[in-house]
Amino acid sequence: MTYPGLPDQQNNRPATVKPGVAVGILVAVIALVAFCITGFAAPAFLLRKGPGLSLPTPTSSPATTSSPTSTTESPTSTRVSRPRITPTRNPATPPAQGVQVIVDFLTKIAGSDKPGAIALACEAQKRFMDDKIDSLIPLGSRVQVTSVNGTSRFVLADVAGVAKGRSAKGIVISDLKADGGFCVTTFSIRTTG
């Protein structure tokens, strides 16, 4: 039945997107997302390779590559160039006392001296050390320091050896105390084999 003055109700289906168009849009979105993720994960891939771009070469110490100068371009203008300072990071040598605390801690573990190992922990961490030692590096484990990094305030030591009868590696961190000594803050050791 039709009503006068109203349009015919025939064939009023909603418009649908054709499958080919939907697939094309999906592929474009995936390509755009992949490009953005790669741009953030490895931004160097966006830089042009070749003679058009030269990156500064790091030096062994901070150096000023130019000094402040004034040049007169015309009688009414003066341009001042600022010094360009290229900072470099020289790795700090971690304090020997901080490294020694870590070595002593690992020696106490290897010698099955749990109270001695816990005594080397920082005060706030001592209550957690008993369970951490049991679960991560049980008494008798033979783990040694392989490399150290840090600053004057903390030492981060990479360690490796045998824990729980299996190959293990991880880190041990010692921090500077208020009295100037060092204590073991935390450690994370995982078996790998």
Side-chain angles (χ1 to χ4, degrees), residues 4-193:
L6 290 176
D8 241 353
Q9 294 290 329
Q10 299 174 7
N11 216 1
N12 271 348
R13 288 186 13 199
T16 59
V17 176
K18 295 182 180 180
V21 173
V23 170
I25 291 172
L26 182 61
V27 168
V29 168
I30 290 172
L32 180 62
V33 169
F35 177 79
C36 291
I37 289 172
T38 306
F40 285 112
F45 98 98
L46 294 172
L47 298 174
R48 192 175 88 197
K49 294 178 181 150
L53 178 68
S54 64
L55 299 174
T57 305
T59 59
S60 63
S61 63
T64 302
T65 56
S66 67
S67 60
T69 58
S70 295
T71 57
T72 306
E73 293 177 356
S74 69
T76 60
S77 71
T78 302
R79 186 181 76 193
V80 177
S81 65
R82 297 192 178 161
R84 182 175 167 202
I85 298 174
T86 307
T88 58
R89 290 178 24 181
N90 292 333
T93 303
Q97 187 181 8
V99 175
Q100 189 60 48
V101 166
I102 293 172
V103 169
D104 292 346
F105 176 78
L106 295 173
T107 302
K108 300 283 185 191
I109 297 293
S112 298
D113 182 7
K114 189 188 280 187
I118 292 172
L120 295 171
C122 297
E123 284 302 317
Q125 303 302 319
K126 285 185 180 181
R127 63 183 175 174
F128 305 112
M129 283 293 168
D130 190 35
D131 291 335
K132 279 186 84 168
I133 289 171
D134 290 342
S135 64
L136 297 177
I137 184 171
L139 298 177
S141 297
R142 305 264 180 222
V143 178
Q144 309 244 336
V145 174
T146 58
S147 67
V148 292
N149 295 303
T151 67
S152 60
R153 302 192 56 78
F154 79 94
V155 175
L156 184 141
D158 292 317
V159 297
V162 177
K164 301 178 186 177
R166 296 168 51 188
S167 178
K169 64 180 180 177
I171 60 164
V172 180
I173 299 173
S174 67
D175 281 327
L176 182 65
K177 297 187 295 186
D179 68 3
F182 279 81
C183 58
V184 173
T185 304
T186 190
F187 61 92
S188 176
I189 298 172
R190 304 217 187 293
T191 54
T192 59

